[in-house]
Amino acid sequence: MRESSLPDLGVGLIGTGFMGRSHALAFHNARTTFDLPVNLKLLALADADPARAARCATSWGFDRSYADWQQLISDPAVNLVAITTPNHLHFPMAMAALEAGKAVYCEKPLAVSLEQAREMHSAAQSAGVVTRVGYNYQHNPLIGLAREMIQSGELGQIVSFQGEFSEDFMGNPQQPWSWRCEQAHAGGALADLGSHLLAMARYLMGDVDAVCADSQTVHAQRPATQGSQAHRPIAVDDHTYALLRFANGARGTFGTSWLKHGYKNHLSFEISGTLGTLAFDQERLNELRLYRSGAPGRDGFQRILAGPAQPEYAAFCPAPGHQLGYNELKTLEVHALIQALAGNSSEGPDFAEALEVERLATAIRVAAKEMRWVKVSDS
Amino acid sequence: MRESSLPDLGVGLIGTGFMGRSHALAFHNARTTFDLPVNLKLLALADADPARAARCATSWGFDRSYADWQQLISDPAVNLVAITTPNHLHFPMAMAALEAGKAVYCEKPLAVSLEQAREMHSAAQSAGVVTRVGYNYQHNPLIGLAREMIQSGELGQIVSFQGEFSEDFMGNPQQPWSWRCEQAHAGGALADLGSHLLAMARYLMGDVDAVCADSQTVHAQRPATQGSQAHRPIAVDDHTYALLRFANGARGTFGTSWLKHGYKNHLSFEISGTLGTLAFDQERLNELRLYRSGAPGRDGFQRILAGPAQPEYAAFCPAPGHQLGYNELKTLEVHALIQALAGNSSEGPDFAEALEVERLATAIRVAAKEMRWVKVSDS
Amino acid sequence: MRESSLPDLGVGLIGTGFMGRSHALAFHNARTTFDLPVNLKLLALADADPARAARCATSWGFDRSYADWQQLISDPAVNLVAITTPNHLHFPMAMAALEAGKAVYCEKPLAVSLEQAREMHSAAQSAGVVTRVGYNYQHNPLIGLAREMIQSGELGQIVSFQGEFSEDFMGNPQQPWSWRCEQAHAGGALADLGSHLLAMARYLMGDVDAVCADSQTVHAQRPATQGSQAHRPIAVDDHTYALLRFANGARGTFGTSWLKHGYKNHLSFEISGTLGTLAFDQERLNELRLYRSGAPGRDGFQRILAGPAQPEYAAFCPAPGHQLGYNELKTLEVHALIQALAGNSSEGPDFAEALEVERLATAIRVAAKEMRWVKVSDS
Amino acid sequence: MRESSLPDLGVGLIGTGFMGRSHALAFHNARTTFDLPVNLKLLALADADPARAARCATSWGFDRSYADWQQLISDPAVNLVAITTPNHLHFPMAMAALEAGKAVYCEKPLAVSLEQAREMHSAAQSAGVVTRVGYNYQHNPLIGLAREMIQSGELGQIVSFQGEFSEDFMGNPQQPWSWRCEQAHAGGALADLGSHLLAMARYLMGDVDAVCADSQTVHAQRPATQGSQAHRPIAVDDHTYALLRFANGARGTFGTSWLKHGYKNHLSFEISGTLGTLAFDQERLNELRLYRSGAPGRDGFQRILAGPAQPEYAAFCPAPGHQLGYNELKTLEVHALIQALAGNSSEGPDFAEALEVERLATAIRVAAKEMRWVKVSDS
């Protein structure tokens, strides 16, 4: 029997919202798509609503359910705790899991404050377990290709980065208040969207030394609920822009907005070096635009389509151009995590890296507030 | 208990290749993504290699495995037989399953000859069971939107269709012979790729009355195997072009090629009416290009991104622009099939429709061979 | 003095409509842009309305004006007669000019019937003068690059051509009748638009051996004038589609429509060979899409921007990406004509070539009418 | 006679390089394209090389030539002095022309220092003549449409601007030194390219209140000449990025680079408001991308093609989608200037506006040097 020869990996998942289901799908698909080095077991699912927990456990193929997430963490068969609850719960849940010596897979953002993030990182170091944070976009095979091009020198010395992550779900001033509008829940465009782009920038370009920034709350109040006459004041940023100085010498810009009409998932960037330029837009996640300096009249931006030349793509489909979806990036994230748990070297953002992302976001916040350049290492 | 209140649906899957795994993923994901009207059970997996059958059954979550597909069909707990084997096996397997009164979900093409397709359709009618054929591209939520626009009159009277399905995997003359190069296995560009586009044309536009066509074998021989000096003669088409006259009055063109360099999954079409035009390309499956006649200087082709405004998309993701992948179209196909099995009205190509697709492909083949216009109803 | 050392070239232009002005601009711009091998003189302008003729002559820099085009032709200082009048006048004017031994530059289509075209070609041969027909799109520097790639074998053996020229100016059924709706004036989509694409196909691909085609008049009547209740019957094609067999062995499709909403100048084609594919769309006339088969995962369609690597572009602008406009293609056409007049070898469609274009269009018309394959050489 | 009833406008053009010829073409074409309110005379052409001056005068249709530009300015028949010489000569030539009471049409940048620009503006005010500076990109009909949309409120309250002007002509580190690398000649990416984008930002968005910026010289030395072993130190910026705060409340980013591979004329921007977003890229100057918030599932970015719905386009072509070129933007610039000279209200950047552009560029330079936010009005 194949199963018996592999170590068990018992997964405990907390949360049954959009990201909860996305995790459940990803664990299933990782098992069907890859030859895993573990015997993956979907062990337990937790949701504060016991009926919902039980129902989802059945539909999603989990062995048992809990209403109390602490019980899930304490379940001895659970080796890995996946956290998909609202942002402010990341801290207590992750700390409890680390305390119990469990590996932790936490949705982004890691925490709702830099101080929390520092504590979580410190606890993870003490626990000595594998951790991962859900910056799923960087698991795209084409992002892997982009990183390889950058690191191999195929683009020459990197000189610039220009990144933007814009959506428009808050574009209508009548869009009501939500928890995403609260600083205490890590709300605002910078925390909600921008942190994905900062993680991506770090993944591809490395450390940022210094930033200057500008933030604005365009709509200072919003209806308390859809259609309500009552309004609530809004303090978080609707959009934030920054200048970035990278440790590798590159310069560039950063922008994030949740009210830029027309964009739905516009995590995009252009990275340019002395030999070429590459560009990416999450709204066309299966394409990389690449320019390599060539013969005049014969060169131009190329559209590279994802295909089996990238191993992570090949796992899903043997033919190029068939396209991966957003949920499959999550499967790739889970697969990388499982490889790390099995002791195979595997890249992916852990709590240490997530702390650096939070530090960078904090530096941008300070720079915007104080209208001055800020060294990231000062945060 | 939720499960007990729903009828069981026992799935038996034959084949463990790319499409076999794609089906396995799709059944899993349908269960996690949708509230199914059945208690879906992955019951049995068959592969001629018993070890492989057992290993895949374990990885993919099937209860048991068979080396003999006939045994799988005979398993009383199997209600639905999914066939993902090479084309020439579709006929015997589907006929046996129908004989046993099982619902059948067969990969395209339905058969390797029009005569077989006729028999299969006839057997399905006699059996009175649900059948489906894997023309998965039409389950794209944006294709649903396109069909709705066409049928609602949003584009006015439809006047033209121009479609092309090109790839380039046979573009290199040194690409060796494979079973896809044999007529007896339903090989050639028209059968392998073109049939997808013909199914799409019928789904969106309805019946085709008459065709004229031109087919060519560009590379009359290919290496017997990769790098071999020995060559095998090739008789199937490398590319085929046709003129189409639709029953709705529209006219247009059809093209399919497996040697058009640069295209990886270019199932594409433009449909134009008296009020507008829509265009689609499978290489950007999350986008529909739409033009509606408007104010001069203010109108232009729009890029509509898939999003939760389409219910099938919403099942996977609550946010627009995040993108579905190829495998998720398969999940949607499975979901539609399950709804049909549960007696809920559900669209999707059954054996009757697949027979019409084969009839149309045959008409094109005859028209090309005899260099004359052919009425489709004569095939 | 520079002028005195060069032979004079006296230009006589007939017509002051859109194309008349376009010619005037082109002659001016050719003089300023290029070092011409002649002393170009804008000698005479003819329009049936003498006041308009005089006014335009002044504005456009012509020495004198005529109300009678025959007088312009007879003017001994006129060496070149440029004809921009309605289609049915091309024949008498060109014949008179050839009779007078003058070089002729005639707008497309050459004539309103194949018989006329034959006579004009024959007269041109007898006269032994330089002739040119205004298929201006082929003077685009990027079309020159495309042709060079095809002829040099850079794309390998050419296997397919797919071309379409669609616009939408007749897309609204209430768009009234005009002379373009009359067969006797070379009206209809095929003659008006399609002939440009046929000329382009011949320029890039060479002779077409055989065609099959389908033509349709979608709107069988149109208002006699804008908003009128009175209607006129329409006999010319609204759209036409064809299958093409080229003498070089390539196969493919042709389409032309003047009612395809969303397209304004969509003269487009894709040409594919055993080593790559190139694609062009006149709506982005400064771009060529090129795919060359390359390393998997590193190849993709490139967007080549027009630039000074193409000599014809360099004449207008020393920097790439600045873009030429439609009128500058006309300047390039005029320049090629002047080089031919100066005895320098210069490509460009003469009456012989225009006759071949008319022959091909005629074959398509016959094929559509008789619903059968037609050899082009039979027309 | 038409000419006699209109006032003469005698044009004197200084410079015979690329921009000199571009001006000559533009004056010719303005006359042929528009019904001008003046009798336009190409009177005199000046170049320090008398033979070249004479030769170009003949080719380009000027009455006479001068080797001494002061003589051209003194020519009593010259009413308008057009300056297309290297940047450091703009100041003495414009000052002399203003001194002589002549209207001045000067290529950008206005001057090589803010102090010069101030003096030139002051002299223009004293002279009371019409002045224009060649920020030609803003004469694009689609830019006019964009401005109309912004000013009419069609996009709602404007909240963001993101602009970039990148090219790659200095992308190769072996690209040698040129005068463009000297601060004293207004060299560097910001002055050479960025100023065009700043002018555009002001044209569309109005005043900028404050800026923060970052500038870098990536290649601190370059070969003295092509292929030379000797190198010259470079002090000007290779790329510059900035944060912008507009007086209308909008925020955003600015970037300019002359070493971003793949871009040839990438003057681009996105402007977003509470009702929609528009985007433009000079590399596709005949297209405007527009998003207007609409029905979910039916809205998306539109590609608006230039056409006769914009009056400036209609002057060149009666059909949409045929495309204007770079040189035609120059013709539109000249036409606007002539209308202003005739006393008709006409928009366009005069010396006062060019001073504001220089002030803004200077603020960016100071902000980058001192690494702090700078109020533009302090410059």
Side-chain angles (χ1 to χ4, degrees), chain B residues 54-288:
Chain B
R55 195 174 64 244
C56 289
T58 298
S59 295
W60 303 354
F62 281 79
D63 286 357
R64 43 189 178 271
S65 64
Y66 294 103
D68 177 354
W69 57 264
Q70 184 63 61
Q71 288 187 337
L72 177 143
I73 288 173
S74 305
D75 187 325
V78 166
N79 310 114
L80 168 68
V81 177
I83 302 171
T84 69
T85 51
N87 297 343
H88 69 285
L89 294 173
H90 294 180
F91 179 76
M93 290 171 173
M95 293 300 280
L98 293 169
E99 176 80 15
K102 308 291 171 84
V104 183
Y105 171 30
C106 184
E107 269 311 302
K108 58 107 334 211
L110 181 56
V112 300
S113 72
L114 187 56
E115 191 44 50
Q116 280 188 348
R118 278 201 191 93
E119 276 190 62
M120 291 163 84
H121 168 49
S122 179
Q125 280 188 306
S126 304
V129 296
V130 168
T131 56
R132 277 294 183 282
V133 180
Y135 293 114
N136 46 285
Y137 296 119
Q138 64 194 247
H139 296 278
N140 186 331
L142 289 178
I143 296 297
L145 175 60
R147 195 181 194 216
E148 186 187 315
M149 284 182 183
I150 292 167
Q151 295 190 342
S152 70
E154 191 170 335
L155 298 179
Q157 173 200 345
I158 302 302
V159 302
S160 66
F161 172 93
Q162 287 151 286
E164 175 185 350
F165 192 178
S166 293
E167 298 196 357
D168 65 3
F169 63 97
M170 298 298 278
N172 184 343
Q174 297 310 313
Q175 182 70 21
W177 174 94
S178 79
W179 65 262
R180 280 197 168 81
C181 299
E182 295 295 325
Q183 190 74 53
H185 290 73
L190 175 58
D192 194 46
L193 301 179
S195 60
H196 271 297
L197 180 56
L198 295 175
M200 184 68 84
R202 285 185 50 79
Y203 183 64
L204 295 172
M205 300 280 293
D207 287 337
V208 175
D209 277 348
V211 300
C212 192
D214 196 13
S215 260
Q216 189 185 28
T217 306
V218 172
H219 302 300
Q221 56 174 24
R222 288 180 181 271
T225 57
Q226 188 70 49
S228 161
Q229 293 303 315
H231 283 72
R232 294 180 68 149
I234 308 290
V236 297
D237 64 309
D238 283 319
H239 57 167
T240 290
Y241 304 95
L243 303 175
L244 306 179
R245 289 189 161 193
F246 288 88
N248 68 5
R251 308 288 176 90
T253 58
F254 163 93
T256 189
S257 171
W258 64 17
L259 39 61
K260 191 167 172 193
H261 280 293
Y263 291 105
K264 309 303 177 183
N265 194 14
H266 186 48
L267 190 164
S268 62
F269 56 81
E270 299 201 347
I271 293 172
S272 194
T274 49
L275 295 177
T277 295
L278 61 79
F280 176 80
D281 180 357
Q282 181 69 22
E283 290 189 0
R284 287 180 172 163
L285 71 86
N286 289 280
E287 302 183 16
L288 194 65

Side-chain angles (χ1 to χ4, degrees), chain A residues 290-315:
Chain A
L290 173 65
Y291 177 91
R292 279 177 293 199
S293 190
R298 283 296 200 284
D299 60 3
F301 269 102
Q302 277 182 292
R303 179 183 81 140
I304 294 182
L305 283 177
Q310 296 101 45
E312 304 87 352
Y313 177 101

Side-chain angles (χ1 to χ4, degrees), chain D residues 117-182:
Chain D
R118 279 202 191 94
E119 275 191 62
M120 291 163 84
H121 168 50
S122 179
Q125 279 189 306
S126 304
V129 297
V130 169
T131 57
R132 277 294 184 283
V133 180
Y135 293 114
N136 44 286
Y137 296 118
Q138 65 194 246
H139 296 278
N140 185 332
L142 288 177
I143 297 297
L145 175 60
R147 195 182 194 217
E148 184 186 317
M149 285 182 183
I150 292 166
Q151 295 191 341
S152 70
E154 191 170 335
L155 298 179
Q157 173 201 344
I158 301 302
V159 302
S160 67
F161 172 93
Q162 287 150 285
E164 174 185 348
F165 191 178
S166 293
E167 299 196 355
D168 66 2
F169 64 97
M170 299 298 278
N172 185 342
Q174 297 311 313
Q175 181 70 21
W177 174 94
S178 79
W179 66 262
R180 280 198 168 81
C181 298
E182 295 295 326

